[in-house]
Amino acid sequence: MISTNLTGLVLAMISSAFVGSSFIIKKKGLQLARVNGPPASVGGYGYLLQPLWWVGMVTMIVGEIANFVAYIYAPAVLVTPLGALSIIVSAVLAHFLLKEKLLKMGMLGCLLCIIGSIIIVLHAPEEMSLSSVQQIWKLAIQPAFLSYTASAIAVTLFLVLYCAPRFGQTNILVYIGICSIIGSLTVMSVKAIGIAIKLTFEGANQFFYFQTWVFTMVAITCVIAQLNYLNMALDNFNTAVVSPIYYALFTAFTILASAIMFKDYSGQSISSIVSELCGFITVLSGTTLLHSTKEPDPPVNPDLYTPLSPRVSWYIQGNNESWKQKEEDVSPFNLIAIIRQDHFK
């Protein structure tokens, strides 16, 4: 069991390294694309022609695959919180490669993330031994987890149908709450699929069972919905605010779902459980501190890249008086009338 957890830990750290690096590589590609055309922030797609951007995409895919495999060998309560390490990798590389200054408080945030991660690793529960996808299915249909799933679906529907149309663009917790709750079900499904793939490679084909395909459909549906509402959150709110809140809620709901379904904390002492929660709070504090001290990217002037619109900006000087008109639709006849009025005064 210890070696299994160690494998999952190593894979989670590799995943964080690749995912954190991918952000920097992709951003370098975006910067190169900006030199020759409009940036992505104003609708440009020149980055698709940049090999460096694609290197970043491949790096991210490798990181996500490593994260997927990590869920096979270690409990979600260990793997999910360690995702914060990618933030440290990204911040440190950005300091050296992108010249984005890492302030002293940001360094303290990195240190808190490392300390919290160590605490989580030292007190993480052991992975449950599972020999078939049918065992996972039995865990998924136990009354406690069915109650959690029903509650998650009910709250999600309430947020989507009632809260999102009314408060989605003003309250940051609406969109993040939706993708965090759905994300916890995504992780449970992905873990089940990962274990099914592992057992299949070991010679016991799990894809003959309908349960494997149910988990697959749930995972695909949840991932699509999760990404949709996460994009809405990022589109409406500052990334420096979205990232720590999303990390906190997503990790909390994932830990809760995993504890209910896989009984991760069964047999653990109270001190171990409290220590792991303290580790999670420490990582959360470091993540919040790191994002709150991050310098924002300089704004891009879209006027440099957008085509000329029919709006007219003009400036007329006459009889020591000035008229200035900006961004208003001006008829050429009105403009002529103004010039004549000024001329014959």
Side-chain angles (χ1 to χ4, degrees):
M1 286 295 181
I2 295 177
S3 60
T4 301
N5 262 17
L6 181 60
T7 303
L9 170 62
V10 172
L11 287 168
M13 295 179 68
I14 292 174
S15 171
S16 295
F18 273 86
V19 172
S21 301
S22 71
F23 292 139
I24 307 304
I25 298 172
K26 287 198 296 182
K27 187 159 186 177
K28 291 288 287 184
L30 290 171
Q31 289 177 343
L32 292 174
R34 184 180 297 177
V35 174
N36 299 319
S41 59
V42 295
Y45 295 98
Y47 61 88
L48 295 176
L49 302 177
Q50 286 294 331
L52 194 59
W53 186 86
W54 285 106
V55 171
M57 277 300 297
V58 172
T59 305
M60 174 172 279
I61 291 171
V62 171
E64 293 299 339
I65 292 174
N67 190 58
F68 173 77
V69 178
Y71 279 113
I72 300 175
Y73 292 98
V77 296
L78 171 62
V79 176
T80 305
L82 291 181
L85 294 178
S86 64
I87 300 173
I88 300 176
V89 174
S90 179
V92 172
L93 290 179
H95 178 76
F96 291 104
L97 300 179
L98 300 178
K99 307 305 178 184
E100 295 181 0
K101 194 173 182 181
L102 182 61
L103 304 177
K104 290 183 178 179
M105 295 302 290
M107 295 179 185
L108 177 60
C110 290
L111 181 61
L112 288 175
C113 287
I114 294 173
I115 293 173
S117 298
I118 292 173
I119 295 173
I120 291 172
V121 170
L122 292 177
H123 297 90
E126 297 296 332
E127 172 72 341
M128 179 185 293
S129 178
L130 297 167
S131 58
S132 72
V133 74
Q134 291 175 312
Q135 279 185 285
I136 307 174
W137 181 259
K138 288 180 180 178
L139 295 174
I141 61 174
Q142 60 184 322
F145 189 72
L146 285 178
S147 299
Y148 173 81
T149 304
S151 301
I153 293 174
V155 172
T156 300
L157 289 175
F158 172 73
L159 290 174
V160 170
L161 299 177
Y162 180 80
C163 296
R166 294 170 175 81
F167 316 111
Q169 296 185 353
T170 57
N171 191 323
I172 193 172
L173 294 177
V174 175
Y175 290 144
I176 295 181
I178 293 171
C179 54
S180 297
I181 295 171
I182 294 175
S184 67
L185 299 179
T186 302
V187 171
M188 298 304 103
S189 301
V190 165
K191 186 174 179 67
I193 297 167
I195 293 174
I197 293 174
K198 175 192 172 187
L199 294 172
T200 300
F201 281 132
E202 291 176 351
N205 193 341
Q206 301 298 304
F207 288 90
F208 287 133
Y209 303 112
F210 78 92
Q211 291 93 336
T212 303
W213 298 105
V214 172
F215 284 127
T216 302
M217 293 303 300
V218 170
I220 293 172
T221 304
C222 289
V223 165
I224 293 173
Q226 186 180 354
L227 291 176
N228 178 52
Y229 284 99
L230 181 58
N231 286 332
M232 288 185 180
L234 291 171
D235 190 46
N236 285 278
F237 302 99
N238 193 313
T239 305
V241 180
V242 171
S243 296
I245 295 177
Y246 176 59
Y247 170 80
L249 291 180
F250 172 65
T251 304
F253 281 116
T254 299
I255 290 175
L256 177 61
S258 183
I260 294 173
M261 180 172 174
F262 294 100
K263 298 180 174 61
D264 291 323
Y265 294 107
S266 179
Q268 275 204 306
S269 63
I270 298 296
S271 61
S272 295
I273 296 174
V274 172
S275 296
E276 186 168 355
L277 291 176
C278 289
F280 168 60
I281 293 172
T282 304
V283 172
L284 175 59
S285 301
T287 305
T288 304
L289 191 61
L290 184 58
H291 277 283
S292 64
T293 57
K294 184 179 178 182
E295 293 183 342
D297 291 335
V300 178
N301 183 9
D303 293 337
L304 297 176
Y305 302 100
T306 52
L308 293 176
S309 67
R311 296 175 183 270
V312 179
S313 296
W314 48 269
Y315 182 88
I316 302 175
Q317 180 75 38
N319 288 341
N320 297 322
E321 295 181 359
S322 302
W323 295 274
K324 193 174 182 180
Q325 179 78 25
K326 284 187 178 180
E327 293 186 359
E328 291 186 4
D329 294 327
V330 179
S331 167
F333 299 106
N334 293 338
L335 183 59
I336 294 171
I338 293 173
I339 294 174
R340 285 179 177 174
Q341 180 182 5
D342 175 62
H343 180 72
F344 291 108
K345 273 186 178 180

